C-alpha cells in the first residue's frame, strides 16, 4: 500500500506539472494493468475450485469470485464468519481483499488528490493535509482494533489510508 501511495501520487503530480493529467487516461491505465491479471487468476481458479472444493467451500468461493471481480472482496471477507466458514486453505481468492482495497484507493484517491493539489498549491501545506488525513486513519485503525478486534481495521480502506499516505508523504517530501 505504501508503494502504491508513492507511485500513484507521483504519477498524478508529474502529469499535473506537465499539464498531461487526465482522469480518463489514469483510470484506463489502471484498468489495463489490473483487469487482465485479475481475470486470468479468476478463470484459472474456477476449474480447480470446482474439482477440489466441497459444496460449502464452492459456495464461498463463488461469492468471493463475485466480490473479487467487483472489488469488494475486502467487505466480503470482513463479514465472513471464519469460525463457521471453510478453512482459509480452501479460499483461493482470500488474497483479493488487498486488491479490493487498492482498487478502492485508485477510484477515490485521484479525485481527492487532484482537489487537494489544486486547493493547496504549496507542497508544505499539502504535506500537512496528507499528514493529518494519515493520522486520522491511523487513529481510526487503533480505535476499531480496541473496540472489537482487528477485522474492520484490517479489511477497510478508511483504516488503511494511513498506509497509502506514508507513500504519498514520502513522494511529497522528496519533491520539497
Amino acid at each position: 500500500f505504501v508503494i502504491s501511495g508513492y507511485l500513484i501520487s507521483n504519477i498524478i503530480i508529474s502529469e499535473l506539472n506537465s499539464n498531461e493529467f487526465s482522469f480518463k487516461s489514469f483510470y484506463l491505465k489502471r484498468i489495463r494493468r489490473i483487469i487482465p491479471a485479475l481475470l486470468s487468476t479468476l478463470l484459472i481458479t474456477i476449474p480447480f475450485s470446482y474439482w477440489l472444493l466441497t459444496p460449502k467451500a464452492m459456495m464461498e468461493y463463488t461469492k468471493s469470485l463475485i466480490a473479487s471481480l467487483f472489488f469488494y472482496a475486502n467487505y466480503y471477507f470482513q463479514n465472513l464468519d471464519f469460525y463457521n466458514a471453510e478453512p482459509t486453505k480452501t479460499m483461493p481468492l482470500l488474497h483479493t481483499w488487498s486488491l479490493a482495497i487498492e482498487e478502492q484507493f485508485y477510484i477515490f484517491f485521484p479525485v481527492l488528490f487532484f482537489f487537494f493539489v489544486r486547493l493547496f498549491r504549496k507542497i508544505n501545506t499539502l504535506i500537512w493535509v496528507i499528514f493529518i488525513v494519515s493520522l486520522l486513519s491511523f487513529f481510526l485503525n487503533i480505535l476499531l482494533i480496541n473496540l472489537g478486534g482487528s477485522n474492520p481495521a484490517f479489511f477497510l480502506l478508511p483504516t488503511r489510508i494511513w498506509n497509502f499516505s506514508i507513500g504519498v508523504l514520502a513522494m511529497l517530501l522528496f519533491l520539497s
Side-chain angles (χ1 to χ4, degrees):
F1 295 147
V2 173
I3 293 170
S4 288
Y6 183 93
L7 293 174
I8 295 304
S9 59
N10 191 30
I11 289 168
I12 294 170
I13 287 281
S14 298
E15 290 181 2
L16 282 173
N17 287 340
S18 63
N19 291 322
E20 296 176 2
F21 181 76
S22 154
F23 285 107
K24 179 181 176 184
S25 173
F26 176 85
Y27 289 118
L28 284 174
K29 286 177 188 174
R30 301 288 76 70
I31 289 168
R32 281 189 225 117
R33 187 177 75 79
I34 298 295
I35 297 298
L38 175 64
L39 289 178
S40 63
T41 300
L42 297 179
L43 290 172
I44 288 169
T45 62
I46 290 172
F48 291 105
S49 297
Y50 181 76
W51 288 314
L52 299 173
L53 297 179
T54 65
K56 182 179 179 182
M58 188 62 188
M59 289 297 294
E60 288 177 3
Y61 165 78
T62 303
K63 292 175 185 175
S64 71
L65 184 129
I66 294 166
S68 300
L69 187 60
F70 292 103
F71 303 117
Y72 69 92
N74 56 327
Y75 290 99
Y76 172 74
F77 289 114
Q78 175 207 346
N79 293 322
L80 197 61
D81 178 5
F82 283 101
Y83 183 77
N84 292 316
E86 292 291 313
T88 57
K89 292 180 202 172
T90 60
M91 293 182 179
L93 301 176
L94 181 60
H95 66 284
T96 61
W97 71 266
S98 64
L99 179 63
I101 289 177
E102 191 142 346
E103 288 304 310
Q104 292 160 15
F105 172 77
Y106 289 165
I107 290 168
F108 297 113
F109 177 75
V111 175
L112 293 172
F113 193 63
F114 179 84
F115 173 74
F116 285 158
V117 168
R118 293 290 187 222
L119 184 63
F120 308 108
R121 299 205 182 268
K122 294 180 181 177
I123 292 282
N124 289 340
T125 307
L126 187 57
I127 288 171
W128 279 106
V129 169
I130 299 296
F131 180 72
I132 290 168
V133 168
S134 181
L135 280 178
L136 290 172
S137 171
F138 183 74
F139 288 129
L140 178 62
N141 186 312
I142 291 170
L143 178 69
L144 287 176
I145 289 171
N146 289 333
L147 285 178
S150 63
N151 239 9
F154 187 76
F155 285 108
L156 298 179
L157 178 62
T159 55
R160 290 292 185 157
I161 293 279
W162 70 273
N163 301 121
F164 293 102
S165 295
I166 291 171
V168 176
L169 288 170
M171 191 279 307
L172 291 172
L173 289 169
F174 180 75
L175 284 179
S176 63

